[in-house]
Amino acid sequence: RKTAAKEPAKADRAPRASADRIGRQDWSSWPHYDKAASGFRGYWYPVTWASHITGDPKPFTLCGEKITLIRDSGTVYALHNRCPHRGVPLSEGNQQFPGTVSCPYHGWTFDLPTGNLSAVITDGPGCRLTGKLGVRTYAVEERLGMVWVYMPIAEEEPHPIDEQLPEELVSNAFVMGGRFDPRGGNWRFACENGFDEGHAKYLHRTALWRLLKPMPTWNITRIVPKGRWIYRVQDEVYWEADFPGVGRWTNKRWWMKQPPEGTFNLGNTGATDKVDPVIESQDFPGFASLSMPGMLRIAYPNFMHYEFYVPIDADHHMYVGVMVNFKRGWDTLRFYGKYLGAIRWLFHGQFSGQDAWMVDVTDAPPEKLYRPDVSLTAWRNLGEEEYAKKLAAAGVIEATTDTTETEA
Ligand code: FES
């Protein structure tokens, strides 16, 4: 339903969050972000590799909801993973008839596209419950070799998945390597960690990946909102590659102007004054970007790295780390060799394992922020504003003037 814009009383407005506000104790500046312990709803989430879903139903938990995924005649379906009879997971069942899944206990059988109870094997054709009961179904898409499930707000229709994915993945051919890794800790801590300016050089100081790729420091980056993304732009580092990629990524190292006196030198190769005109025009994203509902994007000059922090429940998340190279033909084999031989272990393994460890032990607020936490507060501001807009559009909350302004 449409809701009228409502002017909140001035005193009711939460002050805009900033890491400069000393002494913050809780997340009251981000009330919707604070409440989204089990994830932002109204988004698509990658749940597993597409090749892992077959005719045998498999269980998953997404945003605290138990679902089962099953493939039938090439199409993947998602159903609530609980038989309404006695609560047995449907993922324990199987396909007795095409287009259905049957509970293993008493044979209640559900139509995959609709979730309707279509037959009860142990009660025969005269069963009075068929057609009257059912289980909830979820929208499913396959993209990037993964199965994506839409977790709706109330009864809303799913939004087009391609509008949520990064444009370069929708429009270009690429080769990809990655891993799904279930981890402890709330998804928001994982998200904040991925974009955390303060941790890269310190937490990862012992990572071997660190020897291959320079880590940024917070004091030479700035955060810029652009569309639905926020970017960390590293002032001193420039790329040769044009952006967004259309498969013409160079294989060169980062170019770097001589760092100003007294600033930290990242140690990149090729110190030079060369500046790409695209960058000079400022129509250029930062090297680290974050978007709803928790999608990190690191733009290396010759490949892109994405991390999706998928909420399992309030205490667990799925880390989905994906490395993408815009290559075709034989070059894809070279990439796979590199990925399986090194990147998977060094980056998606050891380096990312350090993040997993920290996210798991991070505690809930109260907290005390310091200057580099500007990246955290920028992300929380984005999440709060975007999610409030989404909830208002779904009629779950009333739109505020602030929200309307953001939409404009
Ligand atoms: Fe599923 Fe009885 S519990 S059919």
Side-chain angles (χ1 to χ4, degrees):
R1 71 189 164 85
K2 282 234 177 252
T3 51
K6 185 180 145 198
E7 175 75 27
K10 226 174 191 172
D12 293 343
R13 284 189 202 154
R16 194 172 175 85
S18 150
D20 295 334
R21 288 169 51 86
I22 304 298
R24 178 178 306 288
Q25 294 295 316
D26 58 26
W27 286 2
S28 57
S29 290
W30 309 280
H32 299 103
Y33 183 75
D34 189 18
K35 281 188 199 144
S38 296
F40 287 141
R41 302 183 70 100
Y43 291 96
W44 292 92
Y45 289 101
V47 177
T48 186
W49 296 117
S51 59
H52 290 193
I53 300 304
T54 63
D56 282 331
K58 291 201 173 53
F60 297 90
T61 304
L62 180 62
C63 296
E65 295 197 19
K66 293 188 187 313
I67 59 175
T68 184
L69 293 178
I70 183 170
R71 189 181 293 277
D72 180 78
S73 302
T75 303
V76 179
Y77 298 94
L79 282 74
H80 183 49
N81 196 18
R82 187 181 190 281
C83 177
H85 178 214
R86 300 282 305 286
V88 167
L90 294 177
S91 57
E92 298 291 321
N94 54 26
Q95 281 193 287
Q96 295 290 346
F97 312 103
T100 66
V101 61
S102 296
C103 177
Y105 204 177
H106 310 94
W108 287 31
T109 298
F110 301 90
D111 182 52
L112 291 177
T114 63
N116 290 339
L117 182 68
S118 54
V120 175
I121 295 171
T122 50
D123 198 14
C127 177
R128 293 181 183 170
L129 294 175
T130 53
K132 298 193 181 112
L133 284 180
V135 293
R136 182 176 187 179
T137 58
Y138 300 83
V140 183
E141 292 279 4
E142 291 185 69
R143 290 287 191 287
L144 319 181
M146 307 176 204
V147 174
W148 298 68
V149 173
Y150 190 79
M151 192 50 65
I153 301 170
E155 301 299 320
E156 65 162 355
E157 289 295 311
H159 296 220
I161 184 172
D162 291 336
E163 288 179 10
Q164 182 186 317
L165 293 175
E167 166 62 25
E168 70 264 17
L169 294 183
V170 176
S171 309
N172 299 298
F174 56 81
V175 57
M176 188 181 85
R179 70 196 311 168
F180 279 75
D181 192 11
R183 293 178 173 178
N186 187 265
W187 72 276
R188 291 167 300 188
F189 298 154
C191 207
E192 293 179 357
N193 172 80
F195 200 56
D196 182 338
E197 296 201 50
H199 89 297
K201 267 210 185 288
Y202 192 72
L203 173 64
H204 296 303
R205 65 195 182 282
T206 55
L208 292 174
W209 181 260
R210 163 83 180 76
L211 301 177
L212 304 176
K213 300 285 174 194
M215 293 291 112
T217 50
W218 80 274
N219 54 358
I220 57 167
T221 67
R222 60 200 161 89
I223 296 172
V224 181
K226 187 173 179 185
R228 62 195 172 94
W229 294 87
I230 46 173
Y231 295 112
R232 272 170 41 200
V233 178
Q234 197 163 353
D235 286 296
E236 306 301 329
V237 178
Y238 303 97
W239 285 260
E240 276 207 323
D242 50 349
F243 185 87
V246 286
R248 289 189 286 130
W249 299 93
T250 71
N251 205 21
K252 300 221 173 112
R253 292 286 178 184
W254 298 6
W255 293 95
M256 184 176 175
K257 284 170 63 166
Q258 289 293 352
E261 194 82 13
T263 58
F264 190 83
N265 189 332
L266 289 172
N268 290 328
T269 57
T272 174
D273 281 335
K274 181 172 180 174
V275 180
D276 190 288
V278 179
I279 300 159
E280 276 196 315
S281 73
Q282 290 301 303
D283 186 19
F284 184 75
F287 70 98
S289 321
L290 193 57
S291 174
M292 300 287 277
M295 179 169 36
L296 182 77
R297 174 180 176 277
I298 307 289
Y300 285 103
N302 51 348
F303 57 82
M304 301 289 244
H305 169 69
Y306 300 91
E307 292 184 2
F308 305 96
Y309 311 106
V310 181
I312 293 176
D313 56 30
D315 300 315
H316 303 85
H317 66 283
M318 181 73 78
Y319 166 84
V320 185
V322 170
M323 193 155 285
V324 168
N325 206 336
F326 296 88
K327 301 281 190 195
R328 299 164 198 244
W330 287 106
D331 282 341
T332 60
L333 287 180
R334 241 198 312 270
F335 172 79
Y336 276 132
K338 209 166 147 185
Y339 181 77
L340 292 174
I343 297 171
R344 180 173 169 82
W345 310 106
L346 290 180
F347 191 28
H348 288 161
Q350 191 215 12
F351 183 93
S352 181
Q354 294 175 331
D355 292 319
W357 168 48
M358 270 307 104
V359 169
D360 196 20
V361 297
T362 296
D363 199 9
E367 62 187 8
K368 193 93 155 176
L369 303 183
Y370 77 139
R371 287 192 299 163
D373 288 328
V374 64
S375 52
L376 273 61
T377 53
W379 153 247
R380 290 174 188 173
N381 287 338
L382 178 86
E384 178 64 25
E385 286 170 15
E386 292 280 312
Y387 198 45
K389 276 196 287 182
K390 226 175 209 316
L391 293 174
V396 174
I397 63 169
E398 289 203 339
T400 65
T401 303
D402 286 347
T403 302
T404 309
E405 278 169 2
T406 308
E407 279 174 335

Short mmCIF file of all heavy atoms in Angstrom, two decimals, residues 205-254:
data_model
loop_
_atom_site.label_atom_id
_atom_site.label_comp_id
_atom_site.label_asym_id
_atom_site.label_seq_id
_atom_site.Cartn_x
_atom_site.Cartn_y
_atom_site.Cartn_z
N ARG A 205 48.25 -8.85 8.67
CA ARG A 205 49.69 -8.62 8.52
C ARG A 205 50.47 -9.91 8.36
O ARG A 205 51.58 -9.91 7.84
CB ARG A 205 50.23 -7.82 9.71
CG ARG A 205 50.15 -8.54 11.06
CD ARG A 205 50.36 -7.58 12.21
NE ARG A 205 50.33 -8.24 13.50
CZ ARG A 205 49.23 -8.62 14.13
NH1 ARG A 205 48.05 -8.43 13.56
NH2 ARG A 205 49.30 -9.22 15.31
N THR A 206 49.89 -11.04 8.79
CA THR A 206 50.60 -12.31 8.66
C THR A 206 50.10 -13.16 7.49
O THR A 206 50.55 -14.28 7.31
CB THR A 206 50.45 -13.13 9.95
OG1 THR A 206 49.04 -13.28 10.22
CG2 THR A 206 51.12 -12.45 11.13
N ALA A 207 49.16 -12.61 6.73
CA ALA A 207 48.63 -13.39 5.61
C ALA A 207 49.61 -13.39 4.43
O ALA A 207 50.18 -12.35 4.09
CB ALA A 207 47.28 -12.81 5.16
N LEU A 208 49.78 -14.53 3.82
CA LEU A 208 50.70 -14.62 2.68
C LEU A 208 50.19 -13.77 1.51
O LEU A 208 50.97 -13.22 0.74
CB LEU A 208 50.85 -16.08 2.24
CG LEU A 208 51.59 -16.96 3.25
CD1 LEU A 208 51.55 -18.42 2.79
CD2 LEU A 208 53.02 -16.49 3.41
N TRP A 209 48.87 -13.69 1.38
CA TRP A 209 48.29 -12.86 0.31
C TRP A 209 48.78 -11.43 0.40
O TRP A 209 48.96 -10.76 -0.60
CB TRP A 209 46.76 -12.91 0.44
CG TRP A 209 46.03 -12.13 -0.62
CD1 TRP A 209 45.48 -10.89 -0.49
CD2 TRP A 209 45.77 -12.54 -1.95
NE1 TRP A 209 44.89 -10.50 -1.65
CE2 TRP A 209 45.05 -11.50 -2.57
CE3 TRP A 209 46.07 -13.70 -2.69
CZ2 TRP A 209 44.62 -11.57 -3.90
CZ3 TRP A 209 45.64 -13.76 -4.00
CH2 TRP A 209 44.93 -12.71 -4.60
N ARG A 210 49.01 -11.00 1.60
CA ARG A 210 49.48 -9.65 1.87
C ARG A 210 50.82 -9.37 1.17
O ARG A 210 51.13 -8.25 0.82
CB ARG A 210 49.57 -9.49 3.39
CG ARG A 210 50.37 -8.37 3.93
CD ARG A 210 49.57 -7.09 3.96
NE ARG A 210 50.41 -6.02 4.49
CZ ARG A 210 51.38 -5.42 3.81
NH1 ARG A 210 51.65 -5.77 2.59
NH2 ARG A 210 52.07 -4.45 4.37
N LEU A 211 51.59 -10.44 0.96
CA LEU A 211 52.89 -10.28 0.29
C LEU A 211 52.70 -10.03 -1.21
O LEU A 211 53.56 -9.46 -1.87
CB LEU A 211 53.75 -11.53 0.49
CG LEU A 211 54.05 -11.89 1.95
CD1 LEU A 211 54.85 -13.19 2.00
CD2 LEU A 211 54.82 -10.77 2.63
N LEU A 212 51.55 -10.50 -1.73
CA LEU A 212 51.30 -10.38 -3.16
C LEU A 212 50.53 -9.12 -3.51
O LEU A 212 50.70 -8.54 -4.57
CB LEU A 212 50.51 -11.59 -3.67
CG LEU A 212 51.11 -12.97 -3.40
CD1 LEU A 212 50.17 -14.06 -3.87
CD2 LEU A 212 52.45 -13.10 -4.13
N LYS A 213 49.62 -8.73 -2.62
CA LYS A 213 48.76 -7.58 -2.91
C LYS A 213 48.87 -6.57 -1.78
O LYS A 213 48.73 -6.93 -0.61
CB LYS A 213 47.29 -8.03 -3.01
CG LYS A 213 47.04 -9.04 -4.10
CD LYS A 213 47.06 -8.40 -5.47
CE LYS A 213 46.93 -9.46 -6.55
NZ LYS A 213 47.28 -8.95 -7.87
N PRO A 214 49.08 -5.33 -2.12
CA PRO A 214 49.18 -4.31 -1.08
C PRO A 214 47.84 -4.09 -0.40
O PRO A 214 46.80 -4.18 -1.03
CB PRO A 214 49.62 -3.07 -1.83
CG PRO A 214 49.18 -3.30 -3.23
CD PRO A 214 49.22 -4.77 -3.46
N MET A 215 47.89 -3.82 0.87
CA MET A 215 46.68 -3.52 1.64
C MET A 215 46.57 -2.01 1.84
O MET A 215 47.56 -1.34 2.10
CB MET A 215 46.75 -4.18 3.02
CG MET A 215 46.70 -5.68 2.99
SD MET A 215 45.08 -6.29 2.48
CE MET A 215 45.50 -7.01 0.91
N PRO A 216 45.38 -1.49 1.73
CA PRO A 216 45.20 -0.04 1.92
C PRO A 216 45.20 0.34 3.40
O PRO A 216 44.94 -0.50 4.26
CB PRO A 216 43.83 0.21 1.32
CG PRO A 216 43.11 -1.09 1.53
CD PRO A 216 44.14 -2.17 1.43
N THR A 217 45.50 1.57 3.65
CA THR A 217 45.34 2.08 5.02
C THR A 217 44.26 3.15 4.98
O THR A 217 44.06 3.81 3.98
CB THR A 217 46.63 2.71 5.54
OG1 THR A 217 47.12 3.61 4.56
CG2 THR A 217 47.66 1.67 5.84
N TRP A 218 43.60 3.30 6.09
CA TRP A 218 42.41 4.15 6.10
C TRP A 218 42.74 5.60 5.82
O TRP A 218 41.94 6.32 5.26
CB TRP A 218 41.68 4.01 7.44
CG TRP A 218 42.29 4.84 8.53
CD1 TRP A 218 43.31 4.48 9.34
CD2 TRP A 218 41.92 6.16 8.90
NE1 TRP A 218 43.60 5.48 10.19
CE2 TRP A 218 42.76 6.53 9.96
CE3 TRP A 218 40.95 7.06 8.45
CZ2 TRP A 218 42.68 7.77 10.57
CZ3 TRP A 218 40.87 8.29 9.06
CH2 TRP A 218 41.73 8.64 10.10
N ASN A 219 43.93 6.05 6.20
CA ASN A 219 44.18 7.48 6.12
C ASN A 219 44.52 7.98 4.72
O ASN A 219 44.75 9.15 4.52
CB ASN A 219 45.27 7.90 7.11
CG ASN A 219 46.53 7.09 6.92
OD1 ASN A 219 46.57 6.20 6.08
ND2 ASN A 219 47.55 7.39 7.69
N ILE A 220 44.54 7.07 3.74
CA ILE A 220 44.66 7.56 2.36
C ILE A 220 43.46 7.11 1.54
O ILE A 220 43.52 7.03 0.33
CB ILE A 220 45.97 7.13 1.69
CG1 ILE A 220 46.12 5.61 1.70
CG2 ILE A 220 47.16 7.81 2.34
CD1 ILE A 220 47.22 5.15 0.79
N THR A 221 42.39 6.80 2.20
CA THR A 221 41.17 6.48 1.45
C THR A 221 40.06 7.44 1.87
O THR A 221 40.10 8.04 2.92
CB THR A 221 40.70 5.04 1.69
OG1 THR A 221 40.26 4.92 3.03
CG2 THR A 221 41.79 4.05 1.43
N ARG A 222 39.09 7.56 0.99
CA ARG A 222 37.92 8.36 1.34
C ARG A 222 36.70 7.59 0.85
O ARG A 222 36.78 6.77 -0.07
CB ARG A 222 38.00 9.74 0.71
CG ARG A 222 38.07 9.74 -0.78
CD ARG A 222 38.62 11.07 -1.31
NE ARG A 222 39.10 10.92 -2.66
CZ ARG A 222 38.36 11.08 -3.75
NH1 ARG A 222 37.10 11.40 -3.63
NH2 ARG A 222 38.87 10.90 -4.94
N ILE A 223 35.57 7.86 1.48
CA ILE A 223 34.37 7.09 1.17
C ILE A 223 33.39 7.96 0.41
O ILE A 223 33.09 9.08 0.82
CB ILE A 223 33.75 6.55 2.47
CG1 ILE A 223 34.73 5.57 3.09
CG2 ILE A 223 32.42 5.88 2.18
CD1 ILE A 223 34.34 5.12 4.45
N VAL A 224 32.95 7.45 -0.71
CA VAL A 224 32.10 8.22 -1.61
C VAL A 224 30.85 7.41 -1.91
O VAL A 224 30.96 6.27 -2.36
CB VAL A 224 32.84 8.49 -2.94
CG1 VAL A 224 31.99 9.32 -3.87
CG2 VAL A 224 34.17 9.18 -2.68
N PRO A 225 29.68 7.97 -1.68
CA PRO A 225 28.47 7.24 -2.09
C PRO A 225 28.22 7.45 -3.57
O PRO A 225 28.43 8.53 -4.10
CB PRO A 225 27.36 7.90 -1.25
CG PRO A 225 27.88 9.25 -0.94
CD PRO A 225 29.38 9.22 -1.00
N LYS A 226 27.83 6.39 -4.25
CA LYS A 226 27.52 6.52 -5.67
C LYS A 226 26.42 5.51 -5.97
O LYS A 226 26.64 4.32 -5.96
CB LYS A 226 28.76 6.22 -6.50
CG LYS A 226 28.55 6.50 -7.97
CD LYS A 226 29.87 6.33 -8.70
CE LYS A 226 29.67 6.59 -10.18
NZ LYS A 226 30.86 6.34 -10.95
N GLY A 227 25.23 6.03 -6.23
CA GLY A 227 24.11 5.13 -6.47
C GLY A 227 23.87 4.28 -5.24
O GLY A 227 23.85 4.77 -4.13
N ARG A 228 23.71 3.01 -5.45
CA ARG A 228 23.43 2.13 -4.33
C ARG A 228 24.70 1.60 -3.68
O ARG A 228 24.65 0.79 -2.78
CB ARG A 228 22.54 0.98 -4.78
CG ARG A 228 23.16 0.11 -5.84
CD ARG A 228 22.12 -0.77 -6.51
NE ARG A 228 22.66 -1.47 -7.63
CZ ARG A 228 23.17 -2.71 -7.57
NH1 ARG A 228 23.21 -3.34 -6.45
NH2 ARG A 228 23.62 -3.29 -8.67
N TRP A 229 25.84 2.03 -4.17
CA TRP A 229 27.10 1.58 -3.61
C TRP A 229 27.74 2.68 -2.76
O TRP A 229 27.49 3.85 -2.99
CB TRP A 229 28.11 1.26 -4.72
CG TRP A 229 27.76 0.12 -5.59
CD1 TRP A 229 26.99 0.14 -6.72
CD2 TRP A 229 28.17 -1.24 -5.44
NE1 TRP A 229 26.91 -1.10 -7.27
CE2 TRP A 229 27.62 -1.97 -6.50
CE3 TRP A 229 28.97 -1.90 -4.49
CZ2 TRP A 229 27.83 -3.34 -6.66
CZ3 TRP A 229 29.17 -3.26 -4.65
CH2 TRP A 229 28.60 -3.96 -5.72
N ILE A 230 28.56 2.29 -1.83
CA ILE A 230 29.52 3.23 -1.27
C ILE A 230 30.90 2.71 -1.62
O ILE A 230 31.13 1.50 -1.69
CB ILE A 230 29.40 3.41 0.26
CG1 ILE A 230 29.28 2.05 0.95
CG2 ILE A 230 28.26 4.31 0.62
CD1 ILE A 230 29.34 2.16 2.46
N TYR A 231 31.79 3.64 -1.86
CA TYR A 231 33.13 3.27 -2.32
C TYR A 231 34.18 3.76 -1.36
O TYR A 231 34.06 4.83 -0.80
CB TYR A 231 33.44 3.91 -3.68
CG TYR A 231 32.58 3.44 -4.80
CD1 TYR A 231 31.66 4.30 -5.39
CD2 TYR A 231 32.70 2.15 -5.27
CE1 TYR A 231 30.87 3.88 -6.43
CE2 TYR A 231 31.90 1.72 -6.32
CZ TYR A 231 30.99 2.58 -6.89
OH TYR A 231 30.21 2.15 -7.92
N ARG A 232 35.21 2.97 -1.23
CA ARG A 232 36.42 3.47 -0.60
C ARG A 232 37.38 3.77 -1.73
O ARG A 232 37.85 2.88 -2.42
CB ARG A 232 37.02 2.43 0.34
CG ARG A 232 36.44 2.52 1.73
CD ARG A 232 36.84 1.35 2.58
NE ARG A 232 38.22 0.94 2.40
CZ ARG A 232 38.65 -0.27 2.73
NH1 ARG A 232 37.84 -1.15 3.25
NH2 ARG A 232 39.90 -0.59 2.57
N VAL A 233 37.64 5.03 -1.93
CA VAL A 233 38.52 5.45 -3.01
C VAL A 233 39.90 5.69 -2.44
O VAL A 233 40.06 6.43 -1.48
CB VAL A 233 38.00 6.74 -3.68
CG1 VAL A 233 38.94 7.18 -4.77
CG2 VAL A 233 36.61 6.51 -4.23
N GLN A 234 40.85 5.05 -3.03
CA GLN A 234 42.21 5.18 -2.53
C GLN A 234 42.90 6.27 -3.35
O GLN A 234 43.16 6.11 -4.54
CB GLN A 234 42.93 3.86 -2.68
CG GLN A 234 44.17 3.77 -1.85
CD GLN A 234 44.62 2.33 -1.72
OE1 GLN A 234 43.93 1.42 -2.14
NE2 GLN A 234 45.77 2.14 -1.14
N ASP A 235 43.19 7.37 -2.71
CA ASP A 235 43.61 8.55 -3.44
C ASP A 235 44.89 8.39 -4.24
O ASP A 235 45.09 9.05 -5.25
CB ASP A 235 43.80 9.71 -2.47
CG ASP A 235 42.47 10.24 -2.00
OD1 ASP A 235 41.71 10.74 -2.83
OD2 ASP A 235 42.18 10.12 -0.81
N GLU A 236 45.75 7.54 -3.80
CA GLU A 236 47.07 7.50 -4.41
C GLU A 236 47.26 6.37 -5.42
O GLU A 236 48.32 6.22 -5.96
CB GLU A 236 48.13 7.37 -3.31
CG GLU A 236 48.03 8.44 -2.24
CD GLU A 236 48.15 9.83 -2.83
OE1 GLU A 236 48.84 9.99 -3.84
OE2 GLU A 236 47.52 10.75 -2.27
N VAL A 237 46.25 5.57 -5.61
CA VAL A 237 46.43 4.40 -6.47
C VAL A 237 45.48 4.48 -7.66
O VAL A 237 44.31 4.79 -7.50
CB VAL A 237 46.17 3.11 -5.68
CG1 VAL A 237 46.32 1.90 -6.58
CG2 VAL A 237 47.16 3.02 -4.53
N TYR A 238 45.98 4.18 -8.81
CA TYR A 238 45.17 4.28 -10.01
C TYR A 238 45.30 3.01 -10.83
O TYR A 238 46.29 2.32 -10.78
CB TYR A 238 45.62 5.48 -10.85
CG TYR A 238 45.55 6.76 -10.07
CD1 TYR A 238 46.67 7.27 -9.44
CD2 TYR A 238 44.34 7.41 -9.91
CE1 TYR A 238 46.60 8.43 -8.70
CE2 TYR A 238 44.26 8.56 -9.16
CZ TYR A 238 45.39 9.07 -8.56
OH TYR A 238 45.31 10.20 -7.82
N TRP A 239 44.29 2.79 -11.59
CA TRP A 239 44.26 1.59 -12.41
C TRP A 239 44.39 1.96 -13.88
O TRP A 239 43.90 3.01 -14.28
CB TRP A 239 42.93 0.85 -12.25
CG TRP A 239 42.79 0.11 -10.99
CD1 TRP A 239 42.96 -1.24 -10.80
CD2 TRP A 239 42.42 0.65 -9.73
NE1 TRP A 239 42.73 -1.56 -9.49
CE2 TRP A 239 42.40 -0.43 -8.82
CE3 TRP A 239 42.12 1.92 -9.26
CZ2 TRP A 239 42.09 -0.27 -7.48
CZ3 TRP A 239 41.81 2.08 -7.93
CH2 TRP A 239 41.79 1.00 -7.05
N GLU A 240 44.95 1.09 -14.65
CA GLU A 240 44.97 1.29 -16.09
C GLU A 240 43.68 0.81 -16.72
O GLU A 240 43.26 1.31 -17.74
CB GLU A 240 46.10 0.47 -16.70
CG GLU A 240 47.43 1.12 -16.68
CD GLU A 240 48.26 0.62 -17.81
OE1 GLU A 240 48.15 -0.57 -18.12
OE2 GLU A 240 49.01 1.41 -18.39
N ALA A 241 43.10 -0.19 -16.12
CA ALA A 241 41.94 -0.81 -16.75
C ALA A 241 40.78 0.16 -16.81
O ALA A 241 40.57 0.95 -15.90
CB ALA A 241 41.53 -2.05 -15.95
N ASP A 242 40.07 0.12 -17.91
CA ASP A 242 38.86 0.91 -17.97
C ASP A 242 37.78 0.23 -17.13
O ASP A 242 37.87 -0.94 -16.81
CB ASP A 242 38.38 1.10 -19.40
CG ASP A 242 38.32 -0.20 -20.14
OD1 ASP A 242 38.84 -1.21 -19.59
OD2 ASP A 242 37.77 -0.24 -21.21
N PHE A 243 36.74 0.95 -16.80
CA PHE A 243 35.76 0.41 -15.90
C PHE A 243 34.39 0.96 -16.22
O PHE A 243 34.27 2.12 -16.57
CB PHE A 243 36.11 0.79 -14.46
CG PHE A 243 35.19 0.14 -13.49
CD1 PHE A 243 35.47 -1.11 -13.01
CD2 PHE A 243 34.01 0.79 -13.13
CE1 PHE A 243 34.58 -1.72 -12.14
CE2 PHE A 243 33.14 0.18 -12.28
CZ PHE A 243 33.43 -1.08 -11.78
N PRO A 244 33.33 0.19 -16.11
CA PRO A 244 33.30 -1.22 -15.77
C PRO A 244 33.87 -2.07 -16.91
O PRO A 244 33.88 -1.64 -18.04
CB PRO A 244 31.80 -1.51 -15.59
CG PRO A 244 31.15 -0.20 -15.45
CD PRO A 244 32.00 0.76 -16.22
N GLY A 245 34.30 -3.22 -16.58
CA GLY A 245 35.04 -4.04 -17.53
C GLY A 245 34.17 -4.56 -18.66
O GLY A 245 33.01 -4.89 -18.48
N VAL A 246 34.74 -4.62 -19.78
CA VAL A 246 34.09 -5.27 -20.92
C VAL A 246 35.06 -6.31 -21.48
O VAL A 246 35.14 -6.53 -22.66
CB VAL A 246 33.68 -4.27 -22.01
CG1 VAL A 246 32.48 -3.46 -21.58
CG2 VAL A 246 34.83 -3.34 -22.37
N GLY A 247 35.80 -6.92 -20.63
CA GLY A 247 36.72 -7.96 -21.04
C GLY A 247 38.04 -7.44 -21.54
O GLY A 247 38.78 -8.14 -22.21
N ARG A 248 38.38 -6.21 -21.22
CA ARG A 248 39.65 -5.66 -21.70
C ARG A 248 40.56 -5.32 -20.53
O ARG A 248 41.27 -4.34 -20.54
CB ARG A 248 39.39 -4.42 -22.55
CG ARG A 248 38.75 -4.77 -23.88
CD ARG A 248 38.70 -3.60 -24.80
NE ARG A 248 37.67 -2.65 -24.39
CZ ARG A 248 37.87 -1.36 -24.26
NH1 ARG A 248 39.05 -0.85 -24.48
NH2 ARG A 248 36.90 -0.57 -23.88
N TRP A 249 40.52 -6.12 -19.52
CA TRP A 249 41.36 -5.84 -18.35
C TRP A 249 42.83 -6.06 -18.69
O TRP A 249 43.18 -7.02 -19.33
CB TRP A 249 40.97 -6.73 -17.18
CG TRP A 249 39.58 -6.50 -16.78
CD1 TRP A 249 38.47 -7.18 -17.21
CD2 TRP A 249 39.11 -5.49 -15.91
NE1 TRP A 249 37.35 -6.65 -16.65
CE2 TRP A 249 37.71 -5.61 -15.85
CE3 TRP A 249 39.72 -4.48 -15.16
CZ2 TRP A 249 36.93 -4.77 -15.08
CZ3 TRP A 249 38.95 -3.66 -14.39
CH2 TRP A 249 37.57 -3.80 -14.36
N THR A 250 43.65 -5.19 -18.28
CA THR A 250 45.08 -5.38 -18.51
C THR A 250 45.63 -6.26 -17.40
O THR A 250 44.99 -6.49 -16.40
CB THR A 250 45.84 -4.04 -18.46
OG1 THR A 250 45.86 -3.61 -17.11
CG2 THR A 250 45.20 -3.02 -19.34
N ASN A 251 46.79 -6.73 -17.59
CA ASN A 251 47.39 -7.58 -16.58
C ASN A 251 48.50 -6.84 -15.85
O ASN A 251 49.40 -7.42 -15.28
CB ASN A 251 47.95 -8.85 -17.24
CG ASN A 251 48.01 -9.98 -16.25
OD1 ASN A 251 47.31 -9.95 -15.25
ND2 ASN A 251 48.85 -10.97 -16.53
N LYS A 252 48.43 -5.53 -15.91
CA LYS A 252 49.51 -4.74 -15.30
C LYS A 252 49.25 -4.49 -13.82
O LYS A 252 48.13 -4.55 -13.34
CB LYS A 252 49.61 -3.41 -16.05
CG LYS A 252 49.93 -3.63 -17.54
CD LYS A 252 50.93 -2.64 -18.04
CE LYS A 252 51.32 -3.00 -19.45
NZ LYS A 252 50.85 -2.03 -20.40
N ARG A 253 50.29 -4.16 -13.15
CA ARG A 253 50.19 -3.83 -11.73
C ARG A 253 49.60 -2.45 -11.52
O ARG A 253 49.50 -1.65 -12.46
CB ARG A 253 51.59 -3.88 -11.10
CG ARG A 253 52.14 -5.27 -11.06
CD ARG A 253 51.45 -6.07 -10.00
NE ARG A 253 51.94 -7.43 -9.99
CZ ARG A 253 51.45 -8.37 -9.20
NH1 ARG A 253 50.48 -8.09 -8.38
NH2 ARG A 253 51.93 -9.58 -9.24
N TRP A 254 49.28 -2.16 -10.31
CA TRP A 254 48.73 -0.86 -10.01
C TRP A 254 49.77 0.23 -10.28
O TRP A 254 50.95 0.05 -10.06
CB TRP A 254 48.34 -0.76 -8.55
CG TRP A 254 47.31 -1.73 -8.14
CD1 TRP A 254 46.77 -2.73 -8.90
CD2 TRP A 254 46.69 -1.81 -6.87
NE1 TRP A 254 45.86 -3.43 -8.18
CE2 TRP A 254 45.80 -2.89 -6.93
CE3 TRP A 254 46.82 -1.09 -5.69
CZ2 TRP A 254 45.03 -3.25 -5.84
CZ3 TRP A 254 46.05 -1.45 -4.62
CH2 TRP A 254 45.16 -2.52 -4.70
#
